[in-house]
């Protein structure tokens, strides 16, 4: 039974009052259409709307005739206030697929139906607490989770649901991970709010369509409250070392408590959810340590740093810099931004918009509306964009794109830049990249271009020669005297074990095997020689074609618990990926990468290591990752008795 329909068995009509009227007037119309067809199974309006809905970022954009939108509102209002026309069963997969295709303006294949049912909460993939024949986890089998960010919180929620004993070790005093740590002015999320959340906790209360950092942290703490996650989390505690014992098939995990003392915890399995973006990377620039004023990194931004009226230098022009500069430019006396590499910038008019009260009401009260809006956002921000990163072998247009669709997106971004800086050809020249769009992380404009156009802001592209005690000297000899230096220089992503010591079978050490920048794994999680160790958000599992880290985290947690269940079912003690499966998987990834935009001759980003190997990116769609992580494939692993 569809979970939402089950909740509506005793349908209670909504009041036909001003709240509903406002919601119908302000809510996203294609999503209202999806909700109406889902609830009624009436496809007449669906087919009438089909010619008018176009894909995201299309030109001309979607333009729905007023009389058609009004007809939809009338029909949906009648259904919601009377219950008349409400279907008595869940929609078929064929109808779900048709709703998806029409409401995003392009064909959506049947292979997406299971993902949408799960990720939109219509029919969650599995609730292990409700499987009557599932063997209970062995008493005393304990799992340790590193980190209480998005992946760690997902692991905690699903481990408890599955009946596993576990503990989460978190270095900070609160949950949230990235969104607890990153507090610089303007901090926000590229992924739209209504997708960047757990599929089992779809929130109708977002204040913005793209959450500010504080919004995201509020969501995380709200989830921790609702699911009582903190009772299994040890805060202010840092994991330092993991050592595998082959005789007992256990990991001894050395942690350092808040009092500075170390403690050894013996557990059966480890889920490492510390993520790749919690190790700030400071720039290696001569003289930096000798600067007399504050030098800060965006990921460790002091709460009491006052920039009003100050002369500020920002190093870097990636996403963090763009967000920061947009926020601080109006209040600082002078701002010089040092550009190391150019970035493509896309404009989504929703990024700065607050969610209207009517839209919030629709999300909270109209059945299936928030679920269908989540699908719409997923498609526009994730798999609907995948064609941008896949090379078309027949493409002969130019060296700045990899396909016709990718060229269209580039032209969209270029046109936006030229329109914004029509009177600043100097900025257009400085900002226009010479590589395909999506070959490195894009920036969503939320004040970045406004900041660059201000008279108190200067974009320096000459490079930095050295840091002086009172400022920064560029390579052309010019000096910007400043009071504060802010480093928006990203993270040490490639060294995925961070400072952890991880010793597996025979004393082998994972950090040594991966080295500083060449990690490899099976499905971004497992490495032979390290039984019962699961490294989430690992090599080649990042959805770099667009949004979707939340989906990756959920999918990996699902696969890991399935792996633990294989241990339980067999009465074994440990799970280890086979070397042959590991090797075959990495060959598959290596064979795929030449087809992807990230191996374009002009592509160079933190997705690649110094030898050019793309170690970070998942080279398929999110739906492919979802399908690949439903359960461990037979033959890919061995169980240790």
């Amino acid at each position: 039974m569809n979970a939402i329909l089950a909740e509506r068995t005793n349908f209670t009509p909504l009041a036909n009052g001003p709240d509903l009227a406002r919601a119908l007037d302000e809510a996203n119309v294609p999503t209202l259409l999806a909700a109406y067809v889902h609830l009624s199974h009436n496809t007449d309006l669906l087919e009438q709307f089909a010619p008018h809905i176009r894909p995201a970022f299309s030109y001309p954009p979607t333009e729905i005739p007023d009389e058609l939108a009004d007809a939809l509102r009338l029909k949906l209002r009648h259904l919601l206030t009377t219950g008349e026309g409400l279907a008595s069963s869940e929609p078929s997969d064929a109808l779900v697929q048709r709703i998806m295709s029409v409401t995003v303006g392009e064909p959506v294949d049947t292979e997406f139906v299971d993902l949408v049912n799960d990720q939109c909460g219509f029919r969650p993939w599995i609730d292990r607490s409700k499987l009557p024949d599932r063997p209970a986890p062995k008493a005393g089998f304990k799992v340790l989770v590193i980190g209480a960010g998005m992946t760690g919180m997902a692991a905690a929620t699903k481990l408890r649901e599955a009946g596993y004993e576990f503990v989460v070790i978190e270095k900070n005093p609160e949950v949230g991970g990235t969104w607890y740590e990153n507090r610089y002015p303007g901090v926000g999320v590229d992924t739209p709010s209504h997708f960047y959340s757990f599929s089992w906790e779809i929130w109708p209360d977002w204040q913005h369509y793209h959450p500010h950092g504080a919004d995201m942290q509020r969501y995380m703490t709200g989830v921790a409250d609702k699911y009582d996650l903190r009772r299994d989390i040890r805060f202010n505690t840092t994991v330092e070392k993991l050592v595998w014992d082959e005789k007992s098939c256990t990991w001894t995990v050395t942690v350092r408590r808040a009092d500075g003392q170390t403690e050894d915890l013996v557990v059966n399995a480890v889920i490492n959810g510390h993520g790749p973006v919690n190790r700030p990377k400071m720039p290696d620039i001569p003289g930096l340590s000798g600067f007399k004023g504050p030098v800060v990194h965006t990921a460790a931004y002091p709460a009491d740093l006052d920039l009003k009226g100050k002369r500020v230098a920002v190093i870097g022009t990636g996403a963090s810099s763009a967000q920061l500069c947009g926020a601080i430019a109006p209040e600082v006396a002078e701002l010089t931004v040092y550009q190391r590499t150019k970035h493509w910038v896309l404009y989504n008019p929703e990024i700065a918009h607050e969610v209207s009260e009517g839209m919030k009401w629709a999300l909270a009260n109209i059945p299936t509306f928030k679920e269908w809006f989540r699908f719409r956002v997923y498609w526009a921000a994730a798999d609907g964009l995948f064609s941008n990163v896949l090379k078309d072998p027949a493409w002969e247009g130019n060296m700045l794109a990899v396909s016709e669709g990718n060229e269209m997106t580039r032209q969209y971004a270029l046109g936006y830049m030229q329109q914004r800086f029509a009177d600043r050809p100097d900025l257009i020249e400085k900002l226009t990249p010479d590589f395909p769009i999506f070959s490195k992380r894009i920036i969503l404009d939320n004040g970045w271009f406004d900041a660059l156009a201000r008279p108190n802001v200067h974009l320096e592209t000459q490079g930095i020669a050295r840091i002086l005690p009172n400022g920064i000297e560029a390579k052309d000899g010019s000096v910007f005297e400043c009071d504060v230096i802010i480093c928006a220089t990203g993270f040490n992503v490639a060294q995925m074990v961070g400072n952890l010591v991880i010793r597996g079978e025979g004393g082998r050490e994972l950090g040594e095997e991966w080295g500083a920048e060449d990690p490899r794994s099976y499905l971004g999680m497992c490495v032979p020689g390290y039984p019962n160790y699961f490294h989430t958000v690992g090599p080649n599992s990042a959805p770099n074609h667009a949004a979707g880290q939340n989906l990756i985290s959920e999918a990996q947690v699902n696969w890991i618990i399935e792996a633990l269940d294989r241990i339980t079912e067999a009465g074994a003690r440990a799970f280890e990926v086979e070397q042959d499966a590991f090797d075959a998987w990495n060959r598959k990834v290596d064979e795929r990468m030449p087809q992807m935009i990230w191996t374009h001759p002009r592509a160079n980003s933190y997705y690649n290591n110094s030898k050019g190997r793309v170690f970070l990116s998942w080279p398929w769609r999110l739906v492919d990752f979802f399908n690949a992580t439903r359960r461990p494939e037979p033959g890919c692993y061995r169980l240790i008795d």
Side-chain angles (χ1 to χ4, degrees):
M1 171 66 73
N2 179 297
I4 292 174
L5 284 172
E7 292 175 3
R8 298 191 286 112
T9 301
N10 298 313
F11 178 78
T12 302
L14 298 178
N16 191 5
D19 287 337
L20 177 59
R22 183 177 183 181
L24 293 174
D25 184 57
E26 295 179 2
N28 177 266
V29 174
T31 310
L32 289 174
L33 175 65
Y36 172 72
V37 178
H38 186 118
L39 296 170
S40 69
H41 297 186
N42 185 332
T43 61
D44 292 345
L45 278 180
L46 194 67
E47 301 313 321
Q48 292 177 45
F49 270 82
H52 303 286
I53 300 177
R54 293 175 54 79
F57 302 109
S58 292
Y59 189 83
T62 291
E63 293 184 0
I64 296 170
D66 290 343
E67 60 272 19
L68 195 55
D70 288 342
L72 167 65
R73 293 183 180 109
L74 283 173
K75 286 181 177 292
L76 183 55
R77 180 198 295 268
H78 181 75
L79 184 152
L80 293 173
T81 57
T82 67
E84 295 177 9
L86 184 70
S88 59
S89 62
E90 63 181 299
S92 66
D93 285 352
L95 180 54
V96 168
Q97 182 193 358
R98 184 60 182 156
I99 295 172
M100 291 191 292
S101 297
V102 170
T103 57
V104 298
E106 58 186 316
V108 180
D109 292 339
T110 55
E111 63 182 325
F112 288 93
V113 171
D114 282 345
L115 179 148
V116 170
N117 276 327
D118 176 71
Q119 284 294 303
C120 295
F122 293 130
R123 190 167 64 234
W125 177 258
I126 192 169
D127 180 345
R128 294 175 180 85
S129 68
K130 297 178 180 178
L131 296 178
D133 299 325
R134 175 175 171 266
K138 183 179 179 181
F141 188 98
K142 190 167 186 176
V143 183
L144 182 141
V145 180
I146 304 175
M150 174 163 277
T151 307
M153 291 174 68
T157 304
K158 292 302 177 179
L159 284 168
R160 184 183 294 166
E161 183 181 278
Y164 282 96
E165 182 182 353
F166 69 95
V167 62
V168 181
I169 306 298
E170 171 53 53
K171 70 179 186 298
N172 294 319
E174 180 56 286
V175 302
T178 292
W179 306 113
Y180 174 85
E181 295 172 358
N182 284 264
R183 304 181 182 188
Y184 58 85
V187 61
V189 183
D190 288 354
T191 303
S193 312
H194 299 85
F195 179 45
Y196 193 58
S197 56
F198 297 119
S199 63
W200 54 84
E201 192 59 35
I202 303 176
W203 214 31
D205 296 330
W206 294 107
Q207 300 298 312
H208 303 88
Y209 284 101
H210 284 253
H212 297 177
D215 294 336
M216 196 66 223
Q217 181 62 7
R218 185 165 66 95
Y219 171 78
M220 296 293 229
T221 56
V223 170
D225 291 341
K226 180 174 180 178
Y227 293 87
D228 192 20
L229 297 182
R230 293 183 187 85
R231 65 182 166 95
D232 292 307
I233 302 174
R234 290 182 55 172
F235 291 106
N236 299 305
T237 306
T238 304
V239 177
E240 295 188 342
K241 184 168 62 175
L242 290 72
V243 178
W244 175 252
D245 184 272
E246 296 180 43
K247 291 183 178 179
S248 64
C249 281
T250 58
W251 286 96
T252 298
V253 182
T254 302
V255 302
R256 188 169 297 276
R257 303 189 303 247
D259 62 7
Q261 299 299 308
T262 61
E263 177 183 354
D264 285 343
L265 306 176
V266 178
V267 298
N268 301 89
V270 175
I271 301 174
N272 188 344
H274 73 179
V277 291
N278 69 349
R279 299 176 291 280
K281 182 170 64 177
M282 294 295 289
D284 183 13
I285 302 173
L288 184 62
S289 62
F291 182 70
K292 292 183 178 180
V295 177
V296 304
H297 193 283
T298 50
Y301 197 90
D304 60 351
L305 183 61
D306 183 8
L307 299 181
K308 189 172 183 179
K310 300 288 181 64
R311 300 166 299 173
V312 179
V314 174
I315 301 174
T317 51
S320 297
S321 173
Q323 293 171 353
L324 172 75
C325 293
I328 69 173
E331 70 174 14
V332 302
E334 293 181 79
L335 173 61
T336 294
V337 186
Y338 291 85
Q339 178 173 274
R340 301 185 299 168
T341 58
K342 300 175 181 180
H343 294 267
W344 281 108
V345 177
L346 281 178
Y347 176 61
N348 179 349
E350 284 188 345
I351 191 168
H353 289 184
E354 293 188 4
V355 183
S356 73
E357 290 305 312
M359 182 69 174
K360 286 182 189 175
W361 197 95
L363 289 161
N365 295 280
I366 296 178
T368 78
F369 183 88
K370 74 176 185 295
E371 291 79 12
W372 277 114
F373 191 67
R374 179 177 172 90
F375 161 71
R376 181 175 179 80
V377 173
Y378 149 73
W379 191 257
D383 278 349
L385 297 175
F386 185 76
S387 61
N388 277 289
V389 299
L390 186 63
K391 294 176 183 176
D392 178 359
W395 172 251
E396 297 179 351
N398 57 56
M399 276 295 291
L400 297 178
V402 297
S403 67
E404 182 179 0
N406 185 239
E407 173 64 10
M408 291 174 64
T409 307
R410 188 179 77 90
Q411 289 296 331
Y412 174 87
L414 192 60
Y416 173 66
M417 183 190 303
Q418 292 170 341
Q419 178 262 322
R420 289 300 312 274
F421 297 123
D423 59 344
R424 292 291 305 273
D426 60 314
L427 283 176
I428 293 176
E429 181 179 357
K430 288 180 177 181
L431 291 168
T432 303
D434 62 353
F435 52 83
I437 191 169
F438 281 101
S439 63
K440 62 167 45 176
R441 184 178 178 182
I442 61 169
I443 291 173
L444 293 180
D445 186 20
N446 188 17
W448 170 232
F449 279 3
D450 285 339
L452 293 176
R454 293 179 62 89
N456 65 327
V457 177
H458 173 66
L459 181 64
E460 177 59 69
T461 61
Q462 297 297 316
I464 297 174
R466 57 178 176 152
I467 308 292
L468 305 173
N470 64 335
I472 298 180
E473 180 182 335
K475 289 185 178 179
D476 65 358
S478 62
V479 175
F480 174 56
E481 294 186 359
C482 58
D483 305 302
V484 180
I485 295 175
I486 303 175
C487 301
T489 47
F491 301 87
N492 189 350
V493 174
Q495 195 169 14
M496 287 194 168
V497 299
N499 296 322
L500 284 175
V501 174
I502 305 173
R503 293 187 182 138
E505 293 175 337
R508 60 194 299 175
E509 211 277 303
L510 188 58
E512 293 177 359
E513 293 181 21
W514 280 358
E517 59 170 12
D518 201 28
R520 287 185 180 270
S521 69
Y522 178 80
L523 278 178
M525 291 180 280
C526 295
V527 181
Y530 299 87
N532 285 4
Y533 173 76
F534 304 96
H535 190 109
T536 65
V537 199
N540 294 116
S541 69
N544 292 141
H545 66 284
Q549 184 52 59
N550 51 300
L551 187 151
I552 297 292
S553 293
E554 288 190 22
Q556 288 187 325
V557 166
N558 175 77
W559 190 93
I560 291 166
I561 295 178
E562 286 293 310
L564 297 177
D565 281 357
R566 298 296 90 79
I567 297 172
T568 300
E569 292 164 1
R573 294 191 296 169
F575 175 104
E576 181 181 8
V577 67
E578 291 279 15
Q579 185 70 49
D580 287 348
F582 173 90
D583 293 339
W585 175 253
N586 281 278
R587 282 195 302 271
K588 183 178 178 181
V589 170
D590 290 345
E591 290 166 1
R592 173 70 166 181
M593 280 303 174
Q595 303 172 41
M596 307 308 297
I597 197 170
W598 310 299
T599 55
H600 187 278
R602 296 189 180 182
N604 184 29
S605 73
Y606 65 85
Y607 308 160
N608 313 69
N609 65 15
S610 62
K611 295 181 180 178
R613 187 175 80 82
V614 183
F615 69 88
L616 188 65
S617 306
W618 169 255
W620 294 277
R621 304 160 302 172
L622 291 181
V623 69
D624 298 311
F625 198 94
F626 178 86
N627 290 334
T629 51
R630 295 307 84 202
R631 61 188 62 82
E633 291 294 329
C636 80
Y637 62 92
R638 74 182 184 99
L639 297 175
I640 303 172
D641 294 330

